Protein backbone atom coordinates (compact mmCIF):
# COMPACT_ATOMS: atom_id res chain seq x y z
CA UNK A 1 0.00 0.00 0.00
CA UNK A 2 1.22 3.47 -0.96
CA UNK A 3 -0.79 5.34 1.70
CA UNK A 4 -4.26 6.66 2.43
CA UNK A 5 -6.44 9.04 0.41
CA UNK A 6 -9.29 11.33 1.41
CA UNK A 7 -11.63 12.89 -1.16
CA UNK A 8 -13.82 15.80 -0.13
CA UNK A 9 -16.61 16.37 -2.63
CA UNK A 10 -18.77 19.46 -3.20
CA UNK A 11 -21.48 20.10 -5.75
CA UNK A 12 -23.76 18.00 -7.90
CA UNK A 13 -24.15 14.25 -8.58
CA UNK A 14 -21.76 14.64 -11.47
CA UNK A 15 -19.04 15.56 -9.00
CA UNK A 16 -20.04 12.76 -6.62
CA UNK A 17 -19.61 10.35 -9.51
CA UNK A 18 -16.33 11.91 -10.65
CA UNK A 19 -15.04 11.45 -7.10
CA UNK A 20 -15.78 7.73 -7.54
CA UNK A 21 -13.48 7.85 -10.54
CA UNK A 22 -10.80 9.75 -8.60
CA UNK A 23 -11.05 7.04 -5.92
CA UNK A 24 -10.68 4.39 -8.64
CA UNK A 25 -7.55 6.08 -10.00
CA UNK A 26 -5.98 6.42 -6.55
CA UNK A 27 -6.80 2.85 -5.64
CA UNK A 28 -5.22 1.62 -8.87
CA UNK A 29 -2.03 3.48 -7.84
CA UNK A 30 -1.97 1.61 -4.52
CA UNK A 31 -3.67 4.08 -2.18
CA UNK A 32 -6.48 3.02 0.18
CA UNK A 33 -9.47 4.94 1.50
CA UNK A 34 -8.47 6.66 4.74
CA UNK A 35 -10.16 5.32 7.87
CA UNK A 36 -12.19 7.95 9.75
CA UNK A 37 -9.58 8.60 12.43
CA UNK A 38 -6.52 8.07 10.22
CA UNK A 39 -4.39 10.74 8.57
CA UNK A 40 -4.26 10.87 4.79
CA UNK A 41 -1.25 10.96 2.45
CA UNK A 42 -3.29 12.40 -0.44
CA UNK A 43 -6.20 14.80 0.04
CA UNK A 44 -8.32 15.73 -2.98
CA UNK A 45 -10.87 18.54 -2.92
CA UNK A 46 -13.33 17.99 -5.77
CA UNK A 47 -14.88 21.42 -5.96
CA UNK A 48 -18.00 23.26 -7.12
CA UNK A 49 -18.57 26.93 -7.99
CA UNK A 50 -22.28 27.01 -8.80
CA UNK A 51 -22.93 29.50 -5.99
CA UNK A 52 -20.72 31.64 -3.79
CA UNK A 53 -21.51 29.45 -0.76
CA UNK A 54 -20.11 26.35 -2.48
CA UNK A 55 -16.86 28.12 -3.24
CA UNK A 56 -16.49 29.61 0.22
CA UNK A 57 -17.05 26.26 1.90
CA UNK A 58 -14.34 24.60 -0.21
CA UNK A 59 -11.85 27.44 0.23
CA UNK A 60 -12.41 27.43 4.00
CA UNK A 61 -11.68 23.72 4.20
CA UNK A 62 -8.62 23.96 1.97
CA UNK A 63 -7.37 26.56 4.47
CA UNK A 64 -7.88 24.11 7.33
CA UNK A 65 -5.63 21.52 5.67
CA UNK A 66 -2.65 23.87 6.02
CA UNK A 67 -2.21 22.70 9.63
CA UNK A 68 -2.34 19.07 8.54
CA UNK A 69 0.32 19.73 5.94
CA UNK A 70 2.54 21.23 8.66
CA UNK A 71 2.19 18.06 10.71
CA UNK A 72 2.80 15.83 7.71
CA UNK A 73 4.98 17.54 5.07
CA UNK A 74 4.74 14.57 2.70
CA UNK A 75 0.98 15.07 2.37
CA UNK A 76 -0.10 15.72 -1.24
CA UNK A 77 -2.92 18.19 -1.63
CA UNK A 78 -4.98 18.46 -4.84
CA UNK A 79 -7.76 20.90 -5.74
CA UNK A 80 -9.72 19.73 -8.77
CA UNK A 81 -13.02 20.20 -10.60
CA UNK A 82 -15.17 23.23 -11.34
CA UNK A 83 -13.72 25.87 -9.01
CA UNK A 84 -10.20 26.07 -10.51
CA UNK A 85 -11.68 25.83 -14.01
CA UNK A 86 -13.10 29.37 -13.76
CA UNK A 87 -11.29 32.16 -15.52
CA UNK A 88 -8.21 33.12 -13.48
CA UNK A 89 -9.18 30.90 -10.54
CA UNK A 90 -6.37 28.35 -10.83
CA UNK A 91 -3.73 31.07 -10.63
CA UNK A 92 -5.55 32.62 -7.70
CA UNK A 93 -5.59 29.32 -5.80
CA UNK A 94 -1.94 28.72 -6.66
CA UNK A 95 -0.92 32.05 -5.15
CA UNK A 96 -3.23 32.12 -2.14
CA UNK A 97 -2.64 28.51 -1.12
CA UNK A 98 1.06 27.83 -1.70
CA UNK A 99 0.78 24.44 0.02
CA UNK A 100 -1.61 23.11 -2.68
CA UNK A 101 0.42 20.76 -4.88
CA UNK A 102 -1.94 19.91 -7.73
CA UNK A 103 -4.65 21.96 -9.46
CA UNK A 104 -6.67 20.26 -12.19
CA UNK A 105 -9.78 21.42 -14.05
CA UNK A 106 -12.83 19.41 -15.03
CA UNK A 107 -11.29 17.80 -18.11
CA UNK A 108 -7.91 16.89 -16.67
CA UNK A 109 -8.78 14.79 -13.64
CA UNK A 110 -7.47 11.56 -15.14
CA UNK A 111 -4.00 13.13 -15.03
CA UNK A 112 -4.04 12.95 -11.23
CA UNK A 113 -1.89 9.77 -10.90
CA UNK A 114 0.73 11.14 -13.30
CA UNK A 115 0.93 14.41 -11.36
CA UNK A 116 1.12 12.64 -7.98
CA UNK A 117 4.05 10.62 -9.26
CA UNK A 118 5.76 13.79 -10.49
CA UNK A 119 5.28 15.44 -7.08
CA UNK A 120 6.77 12.44 -5.32
CA UNK A 121 9.80 12.29 -7.57
CA UNK A 122 10.29 16.07 -7.47
CA UNK A 123 10.33 15.89 -3.66
CA UNK A 124 13.11 13.37 -3.91
CA UNK A 125 15.09 15.57 -6.27
CA UNK A 126 14.31 18.70 -4.20
CA UNK A 127 16.55 17.24 -1.54
CA UNK A 128 19.24 17.64 -4.15
CA UNK A 129 18.35 21.34 -4.46
CA UNK A 130 15.81 21.39 -7.34
CA UNK A 131 12.77 23.69 -7.32
CA UNK A 132 9.51 22.30 -5.93
CA UNK A 133 7.15 20.99 -8.61
CA UNK A 134 3.51 22.13 -8.60
CA UNK A 135 1.00 20.97 -11.19
CA UNK A 136 -1.62 23.25 -12.79
CA UNK A 137 -3.68 22.01 -15.73
CA UNK A 138 -7.02 23.55 -16.54
CA UNK A 139 -7.05 23.10 -20.30
CA UNK A 140 -10.58 22.64 -21.56
CA UNK A 141 -10.15 20.61 -24.73
CA UNK A 142 -13.05 19.58 -26.93
CA UNK A 143 -12.26 15.94 -26.60
CA UNK A 144 -12.93 14.80 -23.07
CA UNK A 145 -9.52 13.98 -21.64
CA UNK A 146 -10.54 13.58 -18.06
CA UNK A 147 -13.00 10.78 -17.87
CA UNK A 148 -11.79 8.48 -20.57
CA UNK A 149 -13.67 5.23 -20.97
CA UNK A 150 -10.99 3.26 -19.15
CA UNK A 151 -10.97 5.21 -15.90
CA UNK A 152 -11.71 2.73 -13.11
CA UNK A 153 -14.72 3.61 -10.93
CA UNK A 154 -14.91 2.85 -7.24
CA UNK A 155 -18.65 3.06 -6.72
CA UNK A 156 -19.75 4.31 -3.31
CA UNK A 157 -23.52 4.54 -3.56
CA UNK A 158 -24.80 0.94 -3.75
CA UNK A 159 -27.56 0.04 -4.66
CA UNK A 160 -27.40 3.04 -7.01
CA UNK A 161 -24.85 3.32 -9.80
CA UNK A 162 -24.24 6.75 -11.34
CA UNK A 163 -23.55 6.57 -15.06
CA UNK A 164 -22.57 9.62 -17.05
CA UNK A 165 -24.05 9.86 -20.54
CA UNK A 166 -23.13 13.40 -21.59
CA UNK A 167 -20.48 15.88 -20.43
CA UNK A 168 -20.62 19.67 -20.55
CA UNK A 169 -23.44 22.07 -21.39
CA UNK A 170 -24.31 24.22 -24.41
CA UNK A 171 -27.19 26.17 -22.93
CA UNK A 172 -25.63 29.26 -21.39
CA UNK A 173 -28.42 30.18 -19.01
CA UNK A 174 -27.39 33.72 -18.13
CA UNK A 175 -26.90 33.05 -14.40
CA UNK A 176 -24.93 29.82 -14.76
CA UNK A 177 -21.21 29.10 -14.61
CA UNK A 178 -21.45 25.46 -15.73
CA UNK A 179 -20.96 25.95 -19.51
CA UNK A 180 -17.76 27.91 -18.75
CA UNK A 181 -16.30 25.30 -16.42
CA UNK A 182 -17.56 22.11 -18.05
CA UNK A 183 -17.10 23.00 -21.71
CA UNK A 184 -19.30 22.02 -24.65
CA UNK A 185 -21.56 18.98 -24.77
CA UNK A 186 -19.92 15.64 -25.55
CA UNK A 187 -22.05 12.48 -25.52
CA UNK A 188 -20.59 9.12 -24.67
CA UNK A 189 -21.16 6.45 -27.29
CA UNK A 190 -24.33 4.42 -26.86
CA UNK A 191 -22.52 1.02 -26.83
CA UNK A 192 -20.23 2.28 -24.06
CA UNK A 193 -23.15 3.53 -21.96
CA UNK A 194 -25.12 0.30 -22.50
CA UNK A 195 -22.08 -1.74 -21.62
CA UNK A 196 -21.60 0.19 -18.38
CA UNK A 197 -25.27 -0.26 -17.46
CA UNK A 198 -25.03 -4.01 -18.15
CA UNK A 199 -21.91 -4.35 -16.05
CA UNK A 200 -23.48 -2.45 -13.14
CA UNK A 201 -26.61 -4.62 -13.28
CA UNK A 202 -24.47 -7.78 -13.45
CA UNK A 203 -22.59 -6.60 -10.38
CA UNK A 204 -25.88 -6.33 -8.48
CA UNK A 205 -26.69 -2.63 -8.70
CA UNK A 206 -30.45 -2.13 -8.51
CA UNK A 207 -30.77 1.46 -9.62
CA UNK A 208 -29.04 3.24 -12.47
CA UNK A 209 -29.02 7.02 -12.49
CA UNK A 210 -28.01 8.52 -15.83
CA UNK A 211 -26.21 11.82 -15.47
CA UNK A 212 -25.79 14.90 -17.62
CA UNK A 213 -26.29 18.66 -17.26
CA UNK A 214 -28.99 18.19 -19.86
CA UNK A 215 -29.63 14.50 -20.56
CA UNK A 216 -32.18 15.44 -23.21
CA UNK A 217 -29.49 16.68 -25.54
CA UNK A 218 -27.82 13.25 -25.49
CA UNK A 219 -26.69 12.42 -29.04
CA UNK A 220 -27.12 15.94 -30.46
CA UNK A 221 -23.36 16.21 -30.97
CA UNK A 222 -23.18 12.89 -32.82
CA UNK A 223 -23.21 12.73 -36.60
CA UNK A 224 -26.15 11.15 -38.43
CA UNK A 225 -28.91 12.21 -36.03
CA UNK A 226 -29.79 8.59 -35.24
CA UNK A 227 -28.93 8.60 -31.56
CA UNK A 228 -31.05 10.47 -29.04
CA UNK A 229 -32.04 10.20 -25.40
CA UNK A 230 -35.32 8.39 -26.09
CA UNK A 231 -33.44 5.70 -28.06
CA UNK A 232 -30.92 5.32 -25.27
CA UNK A 233 -33.73 4.84 -22.74
CA UNK A 234 -35.37 2.32 -25.05
CA UNK A 235 -32.17 0.26 -25.28
CA UNK A 236 -31.51 0.42 -21.54
CA UNK A 237 -35.04 -0.77 -20.87
CA UNK A 238 -34.31 -3.93 -22.88
CA UNK A 239 -31.43 -4.96 -20.60
CA UNK A 240 -32.36 -8.05 -18.57
CA UNK A 241 -32.72 -7.95 -14.80
CA UNK A 242 -34.76 -6.19 -12.15
CA UNK A 243 -33.45 -2.66 -11.74
CA UNK A 244 -34.67 0.91 -11.80
CA UNK A 245 -33.59 3.75 -14.03
CA UNK A 246 -33.62 7.45 -13.14
CA UNK A 247 -31.93 10.36 -14.87
CA UNK A 248 -31.00 13.94 -14.27
CA UNK A 249 -31.17 16.70 -15.35
CA UNK A 250 -33.87 17.33 -17.95
CA UNK A 251 -34.15 20.77 -19.51
CA UNK A 252 -37.81 21.69 -20.10
CA UNK A 253 -37.01 23.07 -23.56
CA UNK A 254 -35.67 19.69 -24.71
CA UNK A 255 -37.93 17.11 -23.06
CA UNK A 256 -39.56 15.30 -25.98
CA UNK A 257 -42.83 13.39 -26.45
CA UNK A 258 -40.72 10.35 -27.28
CA UNK A 259 -38.89 10.50 -23.94
CA UNK A 260 -42.21 10.84 -22.09
CA UNK A 261 -43.55 7.87 -24.06
CA UNK A 262 -40.50 5.75 -23.19
CA UNK A 263 -40.89 6.64 -19.51
CA UNK A 264 -44.56 5.69 -19.54
CA UNK A 265 -44.05 2.42 -21.44
CA UNK A 266 -41.16 1.16 -19.34
CA UNK A 267 -41.31 -0.74 -16.06
CA UNK A 268 -37.70 0.06 -15.34
CA UNK A 269 -37.69 3.81 -15.90
CA UNK A 270 -39.12 5.36 -12.76
CA UNK A 271 -42.16 7.63 -12.74
CA UNK A 272 -39.99 10.35 -11.40
CA UNK A 273 -38.63 13.45 -13.08
CA UNK A 274 -36.49 16.35 -11.98
CA UNK A 275 -37.52 19.22 -14.22
CA UNK A 276 -35.95 22.52 -13.12
CA UNK A 277 -38.32 25.45 -13.68
CA UNK A 278 -36.12 28.21 -12.15
CA UNK A 279 -38.88 30.84 -12.35
CA UNK A 280 -42.60 31.14 -13.04
CA UNK A 281 -42.29 34.49 -14.80
CA UNK A 282 -42.02 34.55 -18.60
CA UNK A 283 -39.99 37.75 -18.45
CA UNK A 284 -37.47 36.29 -15.99
CA UNK A 285 -37.27 33.01 -17.94
CA UNK A 286 -36.46 35.03 -21.03
CA UNK A 287 -33.80 37.05 -19.21
CA UNK A 288 -32.35 33.77 -17.93
CA UNK A 289 -32.18 32.48 -21.53
CA UNK A 290 -34.12 29.36 -20.54
CA UNK A 291 -35.97 29.23 -23.88
CA UNK A 292 -39.34 27.98 -22.57
CA UNK A 293 -42.26 29.77 -20.97
CA UNK A 294 -44.87 29.00 -18.32
CA UNK A 295 -47.22 27.62 -20.93
CA UNK A 296 -44.65 25.13 -22.21
CA UNK A 297 -43.74 24.06 -18.68
CA UNK A 298 -47.38 23.56 -17.67
CA UNK A 299 -47.97 21.65 -20.89
CA UNK A 300 -45.09 19.27 -20.01
CA UNK A 301 -46.51 18.73 -16.53
CA UNK A 302 -49.92 17.81 -17.92
CA UNK A 303 -48.40 15.64 -20.67
CA UNK A 304 -46.37 13.76 -18.04
CA UNK A 305 -49.27 13.39 -15.63
CA UNK A 306 -51.67 12.19 -18.30
CA UNK A 307 -49.21 9.41 -19.15
CA UNK A 308 -48.07 8.71 -15.55
CA UNK A 309 -50.70 9.91 -13.04
CA UNK A 310 -48.50 9.12 -10.00
CA UNK A 311 -45.31 10.68 -11.35
CA UNK A 312 -43.13 12.37 -8.72
CA UNK A 313 -42.07 15.76 -10.04
CA UNK A 314 -39.23 17.68 -8.45
CA UNK A 315 -37.68 20.97 -9.51
CA UNK A 316 -35.07 23.68 -8.94
CA UNK A 317 -36.26 27.23 -8.32
CA UNK A 318 -34.15 30.33 -8.04
CA UNK A 319 -35.22 33.59 -6.41
CA UNK A 320 -33.59 36.99 -6.70
CA UNK A 321 -32.48 36.90 -10.32
CA UNK A 322 -31.51 40.53 -11.14
CA UNK A 323 -34.66 41.35 -13.14
CA UNK A 324 -37.10 39.59 -10.78
CA UNK A 325 -39.73 41.98 -9.39
CA UNK A 326 -42.26 41.20 -6.67
CA UNK A 327 -44.77 40.55 -9.43
CA UNK A 328 -42.43 38.06 -11.13
CA UNK A 329 -41.87 36.32 -7.84
CA UNK A 330 -45.65 36.01 -7.37
CA UNK A 331 -45.74 34.23 -10.75
CA UNK A 332 -43.23 31.73 -9.34
CA UNK A 333 -45.38 31.18 -6.25
CA UNK A 334 -48.39 30.78 -8.52
CA UNK A 335 -46.80 28.07 -10.66
CA UNK A 336 -45.61 26.24 -7.55
CA UNK A 337 -49.24 26.12 -6.38
CA UNK A 338 -50.42 24.94 -9.79
CA UNK A 339 -47.86 22.21 -10.35
CA UNK A 340 -47.59 20.95 -6.76
CA UNK A 341 -44.06 19.52 -6.93
CA UNK A 342 -43.30 16.68 -4.57
CA UNK A 343 -40.11 18.52 -3.69
CA UNK A 344 -38.32 21.68 -4.78
CA UNK A 345 -34.67 22.67 -4.39
CA UNK A 346 -34.70 26.40 -3.80
CA UNK A 347 -31.75 28.73 -4.28
CA UNK A 348 -30.92 32.37 -3.81
CA UNK A 349 -29.40 33.74 -7.01
CA UNK A 350 -25.65 34.16 -6.59
CA UNK A 351 -23.79 36.30 -9.16
CA UNK A 352 -21.08 34.30 -10.95
CA UNK A 353 -18.15 36.20 -12.43
CA UNK A 354 -18.08 36.06 -16.23
CA UNK A 355 -21.79 35.30 -16.68
CA UNK A 356 -24.16 37.85 -18.27
CA UNK A 357 -26.47 38.12 -15.24
CA UNK A 358 -23.59 39.12 -12.99
CA UNK A 359 -23.28 42.34 -15.01
CA UNK A 360 -26.91 43.32 -14.45
CA UNK A 361 -28.05 45.50 -11.58
CA UNK A 362 -28.49 43.25 -8.55
CA UNK A 363 -31.34 43.23 -6.08
CA UNK A 364 -30.74 43.54 -2.30
CA UNK A 365 -29.94 40.35 -0.41
CA UNK A 366 -32.69 41.01 2.14
CA UNK A 367 -35.28 40.94 -0.67
CA UNK A 368 -33.93 37.63 -1.93
CA UNK A 369 -34.02 36.16 1.57
CA UNK A 370 -37.55 37.29 2.17
CA UNK A 371 -38.64 35.74 -1.13
CA UNK A 372 -36.96 32.41 -0.53
CA UNK A 373 -38.54 32.04 2.89
CA UNK A 374 -42.02 32.64 1.41
CA UNK A 375 -41.25 30.11 -1.32
CA UNK A 376 -39.97 27.48 1.10
CA UNK A 377 -43.03 27.93 3.30
CA UNK A 378 -45.38 27.38 0.35
CA UNK A 379 -43.46 24.34 -0.90
CA UNK A 380 -43.25 22.78 2.59
CA UNK A 381 -47.02 23.02 2.90
CA UNK A 382 -47.50 21.36 -0.49
CA UNK A 383 -44.94 18.64 0.26
CA UNK A 384 -46.74 17.87 3.51
CA UNK A 385 -50.15 17.77 1.85
CA UNK A 386 -48.84 15.39 -0.81
CA UNK A 387 -47.16 13.24 1.85
CA UNK A 388 -50.44 12.85 3.70
CA UNK A 389 -51.93 11.37 0.51
CA UNK A 390 -49.51 8.43 0.66
CA UNK A 391 -50.79 7.16 4.02
CA UNK A 392 -52.52 3.76 3.98
CA UNK A 393 -51.16 2.76 0.55
CA UNK A 394 -48.49 0.15 -0.23
CA UNK A 395 -45.47 0.88 -2.42
CA UNK A 396 -42.50 -1.07 -3.66
CA UNK A 397 -39.46 0.50 -2.04
CA UNK A 398 -35.82 -0.08 -2.96
CA UNK A 399 -33.98 -0.17 0.36
CA UNK A 400 -30.95 2.13 0.11
CA UNK A 401 -29.43 2.47 3.54
CA UNK A 402 -29.89 2.25 7.28
CA UNK A 403 -31.90 5.22 8.53
CA UNK A 404 -29.47 7.76 9.96
CA UNK A 405 -31.66 8.92 12.83
CA UNK A 406 -33.62 5.79 13.74
CA UNK A 407 -32.16 2.61 15.15
CA UNK A 408 -33.49 -0.64 13.69
CA UNK A 409 -34.84 1.22 10.66
CA UNK A 410 -33.84 1.50 7.03
CA UNK A 411 -34.77 3.92 4.27
CA UNK A 412 -35.42 3.71 0.56
CA UNK A 413 -37.43 5.24 -2.24
CA UNK A 414 -40.69 4.59 -3.99
CA UNK A 415 -40.68 4.45 -7.76
CA UNK A 416 -41.84 8.09 -7.72
CA UNK A 417 -38.78 9.05 -5.68
CA UNK A 418 -40.32 9.56 -2.22
CA UNK A 419 -38.14 8.65 0.75
CA UNK A 420 -39.65 6.05 3.10
CA UNK A 421 -38.30 4.96 6.50
CA UNK A 422 -39.31 1.53 7.77
CA UNK A 423 -38.21 -1.34 10.01
CA UNK A 424 -35.21 -3.33 8.81
CA UNK A 425 -31.47 -3.85 8.97
CA UNK A 426 -28.33 -3.65 6.83
CA UNK A 427 -29.11 -6.95 5.06
CA UNK A 428 -32.15 -5.27 3.45
CA UNK A 429 -29.99 -2.80 1.51
CA UNK A 430 -30.44 -3.44 -2.21
CA UNK A 431 -33.74 -5.31 -1.82
CA UNK A 432 -37.12 -4.35 -3.23
CA UNK A 433 -39.61 -4.44 -0.34
CA UNK A 434 -43.33 -3.72 -0.23
CA UNK A 435 -43.98 -1.11 2.42
CA UNK A 436 -47.32 0.17 3.69
CA UNK A 437 -47.19 3.86 4.55
CA UNK A 438 -48.42 4.46 8.07
CA UNK A 439 -47.41 8.05 8.79
CA UNK A 440 -45.89 11.08 7.15
CA UNK A 441 -43.85 13.96 8.41
CA UNK A 442 -43.24 16.76 5.88
CA UNK A 443 -40.99 15.21 3.19
CA UNK A 444 -40.51 11.88 4.99
CA UNK A 445 -42.85 8.92 4.88
CA UNK A 446 -42.86 6.16 7.48
CA UNK A 447 -44.14 2.66 6.89
CA UNK A 448 -44.15 -0.98 7.85
CA UNK A 449 -42.95 -3.76 5.59
CA UNK A 450 -45.38 -6.26 4.21
CA UNK A 451 -42.96 -9.13 3.54
CA UNK A 452 -43.01 -10.44 7.11
N1 LIG B 1 -28.02 21.41 -15.44
C1 LIG B 1 -29.01 21.54 -14.51
C2 LIG B 1 -28.64 22.12 -13.17
C3 LIG B 1 -27.33 22.71 -12.91
S1 LIG B 1 -27.04 23.57 -11.47
C4 LIG B 1 -30.15 22.31 -15.12
O1 LIG B 1 -30.07 22.81 -16.18
O2 LIG B 1 -31.16 22.45 -14.47
C5 LIG B 1 -28.32 23.17 -10.35
C6 LIG B 1 -29.18 24.31 -9.98
O3 LIG B 1 -28.44 25.32 -9.36
C7 LIG B 1 -29.86 25.00 -11.13
O4 LIG B 1 -30.99 24.33 -11.56
C8 LIG B 1 -30.19 26.35 -10.57
O5 LIG B 1 -31.45 26.36 -9.94
C9 LIG B 1 -29.11 26.55 -9.52
N2 LIG B 1 -28.15 27.58 -9.94
C10 LIG B 1 -27.39 27.60 -11.05
N3 LIG B 1 -26.66 28.74 -11.11
C11 LIG B 1 -26.97 29.45 -9.99
C12 LIG B 1 -26.59 30.72 -9.48
N4 LIG B 1 -25.73 31.50 -10.13
N5 LIG B 1 -27.13 31.12 -8.30
C13 LIG B 1 -28.02 30.36 -7.65
N6 LIG B 1 -28.43 29.16 -8.09
C14 LIG B 1 -27.92 28.70 -9.25
FE1 LIG C 1 -26.48 25.73 -16.18
FE2 LIG C 1 -28.52 26.08 -17.80
FE3 LIG C 1 -26.57 24.38 -18.47
FE4 LIG C 1 -28.21 23.77 -16.50
S1 LIG C 1 -28.79 24.03 -18.65
S2 LIG C 1 -26.01 23.59 -16.47
S3 LIG C 1 -28.65 25.74 -15.56
S4 LIG C 1 -26.41 26.60 -18.29
FE1 LIG D 1 -21.04 22.57 -9.13
FE2 LIG D 1 -19.67 21.93 -11.22
FE3 LIG D 1 -21.76 20.49 -10.53
S1 LIG D 1 -20.16 23.97 -10.59
S2 LIG D 1 -23.09 21.96 -9.53
S3 LIG D 1 -19.92 20.69 -9.37
S4 LIG D 1 -21.10 20.96 -12.60
Amino acid sequence: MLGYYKIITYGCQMNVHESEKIAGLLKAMGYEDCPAEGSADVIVFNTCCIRDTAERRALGNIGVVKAEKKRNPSLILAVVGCMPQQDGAAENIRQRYPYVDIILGTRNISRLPEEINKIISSRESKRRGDKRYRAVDTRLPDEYLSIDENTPTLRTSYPNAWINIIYGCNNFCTYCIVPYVRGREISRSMPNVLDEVRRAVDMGYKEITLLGQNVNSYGNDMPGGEVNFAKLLHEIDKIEGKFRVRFMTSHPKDLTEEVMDEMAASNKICSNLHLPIQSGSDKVLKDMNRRYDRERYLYLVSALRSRMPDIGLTTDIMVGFPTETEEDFLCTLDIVERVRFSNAFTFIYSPRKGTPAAQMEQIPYAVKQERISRLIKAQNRITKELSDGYTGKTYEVLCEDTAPKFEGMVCGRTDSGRLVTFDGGPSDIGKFINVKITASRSASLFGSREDI
Side-chain angles (χ1 to χ4, degrees):
M1 188 184 82
L2 215 53
Y4 286 125
Y5 67 81
K6 230 184 241 178
I7 304 172
I8 299 114
T9 308
Y10 303 88
C12 59
Q13 277 76 13
M14 191 86 74
N15 255 21
V16 171
H17 180 42
E18 278 166 12
S19 286
E20 296 180 333
K21 303 206 167 185
I22 295 170
L25 290 167
L26 293 173
K27 188 146 180 138
M29 288 180 81
Y31 287 98
E32 292 290 334
D33 193 9
C34 189
E37 67 290 355
S39 70
D41 302 277
V42 176
I43 298 182
V44 182
F45 285 91
N46 191 11
T47 61
C48 170
C49 56
I50 195 81
R51 283 170 288 275
D52 188 47
T53 42
E55 281 202 274
R56 269 191 285 140
R57 216 173 306 137
L59 289 172
N61 289 332
I62 295 167
V64 170
V65 175
K66 188 176 181 181
E68 215 162 318
K69 185 109 180 191
K70 270 213 173 107
R71 272 198 305 275
N72 173 14
S74 68
L75 171 68
I76 295 174
L77 182 57
V79 176
V80 307
C82 292
M83 197 169 72
Q85 191 68 60
Q86 294 170 100
D87 203 18
E91 186 48 31
N92 200 12
I93 295 167
R94 211 182 73 87
Q95 286 178 12
R96 267 181 67 192
Y97 303 91
Y99 49 92
V100 171
D101 299 289
I102 301 172
I103 299 171
L104 296 174
T106 53
R107 294 199 173 181
N108 322 83
I109 291 174
S110 63
R111 300 205 38 233
L112 193 60
E114 176 189 335
E115 295 297 358
I116 288 176
N117 284 331
K118 278 199 214 160
I119 299 279
I120 293 172
S121 58
S122 100
R123 281 181 183 164
E124 282 157 10
S125 72
K126 193 170 163 245
R127 284 190 218 115
R128 299 193 301 267
D130 293 354
K131 205 165 165 268
R132 174 184 163 213
Y133 175 74
R134 295 176 78 195
V136 181
D137 186 357
T138 53
R139 285 171 298 161
L140 200 58
D142 277 349
E143 71 276 22
Y144 205 74
L145 280 185
S146 169
I147 311 299
D148 70 70
E149 295 296 333
N150 303 318
T151 306
T153 305
L154 204 87
R155 298 194 185 278
T156 51
S157 59
Y158 180 83
N160 174 67
W162 308 108
I163 295 186
N164 218 323
I165 64 166
I166 178 167
Y167 301 106
C169 179
N170 289 358
N171 289 308
F172 289 95
C173 303
T174 56
Y175 50 81
C176 187
I177 195 74
V178 172
Y180 303 89
V181 296
R182 289 272 171 179
R184 294 296 68 72
E185 286 172 358
I186 299 174
S187 302
R188 286 180 65 197
S189 85
M190 193 140 97
N192 284 352
V193 173
L194 293 174
D195 194 47
E196 193 174 349
V197 175
R198 254 183 240 112
R199 270 184 288 136
V201 171
D202 288 347
M203 283 168 76
Y205 286 88
K206 302 290 186 232
E207 183 178 78
I208 303 293
T209 306
L210 307 173
L211 294 178
Q213 294 302 339
N214 179 11
V215 289
N216 295 98
S217 41
Y218 178 74
N220 286 357
D221 55 315
M222 290 176 177
E226 283 142 32
V227 171
N228 64 29
F229 186 52
K231 294 213 175 80
L232 178 69
L233 288 178
H234 189 77
E235 292 305 313
I236 291 176
D237 189 56
K238 287 199 280 196
I239 294 174
E240 298 257 325
K242 182 166 171 64
F243 64 97
R244 286 177 172 177
V245 181
R246 299 185 200 274
F247 50 84
M248 65 193 315
T249 300
S250 278
H251 196 304
K253 78 175 164 57
D254 298 317
L255 179 66
T256 62
E257 303 291 325
E258 275 172 284
V259 166
M260 294 191 272
D261 288 341
E262 289 295 340
M263 289 176 76
S266 161
N267 286 326
K268 292 189 172 103
I269 304 165
C270 292
S271 288
N272 182 199
L273 189 68
H274 184 62
L275 195 63
I277 183 165
Q278 313 299 359
S279 168
S281 151
D282 283 349
K283 181 199 84 194
V284 172
L285 286 172
K286 190 159 189 297
D287 294 345
M288 287 176 164
N289 189 32
R290 289 290 286 179
R291 288 175 277 170
Y292 56 85
D293 57 12
R294 281 169 70 90
E295 197 189 338
R296 158 89 180 157
Y297 194 94
L298 289 170
Y299 164 74
L300 289 174
V301 171
S302 69
L304 287 159
R305 286 191 172 142
S306 69
R307 288 168 170 92
M308 295 163 275
D310 294 326
I311 189 168
L313 284 177
T314 59
T315 199
D316 291 345
I317 307 172
M318 200 185 301
V319 300
F321 185 81
T323 61
E324 183 187 76
T325 62
E326 172 66 16
E327 206 186 348
D328 295 316
F329 174 66
L330 291 176
C331 293
T332 299
L333 281 182
D334 173 72
I335 211 157
V336 162
E337 297 290 348
R338 280 172 200 249
V339 177
R340 292 174 70 79
F341 296 104
S342 57
N343 206 351
F345 299 88
T346 54
F347 306 105
I348 287 182
Y349 165 71
S350 164
R352 304 283 73 207
K353 214 172 112 208
T355 62
Q359 325 251 299
M360 301 176 189
E361 197 183 330
Q362 306 293 315
I363 65 176
Y365 195 74
V367 175
K368 300 186 195 179
Q369 258 181 328
E370 192 262 341
R371 284 183 193 158
I372 202 166
S373 57
R374 279 151 77 195
L375 176 62
I376 291 172
K377 203 164 149 214
Q379 181 56 45
N380 283 351
R381 192 196 73 245
I382 294 166
T383 301
K384 187 178 179 325
E385 285 165 6
L386 293 175
S387 294
D388 292 346
Y390 278 75
T391 315
K393 297 180 190 142
T394 297
Y395 296 88
E396 187 180 58
V397 173
L398 171 58
C399 179
E400 289 173 8
D401 208 346
T402 50
K405 289 187 220 140
F406 307 94
E407 206 162 315
M409 309 276 268
V410 287
C411 57
R413 279 175 204 279
T414 63
D415 178 86
S416 68
R418 291 300 304 259
L419 196 66
V420 184
T421 302
F422 59 101
D423 45 312
S427 64
D428 291 318
I429 297 173
K431 287 188 186 149
F432 289 94
I433 299 168
N434 285 330
V435 179
K436 183 170 184 178
I437 308 302
T438 50
S440 70
R441 201 185 300 157
S442 60
S444 321
L445 303 175
F446 295 85
S448 57
R449 55 200 295 159
E450 299 214 313
D451 60 337
I452 36 178

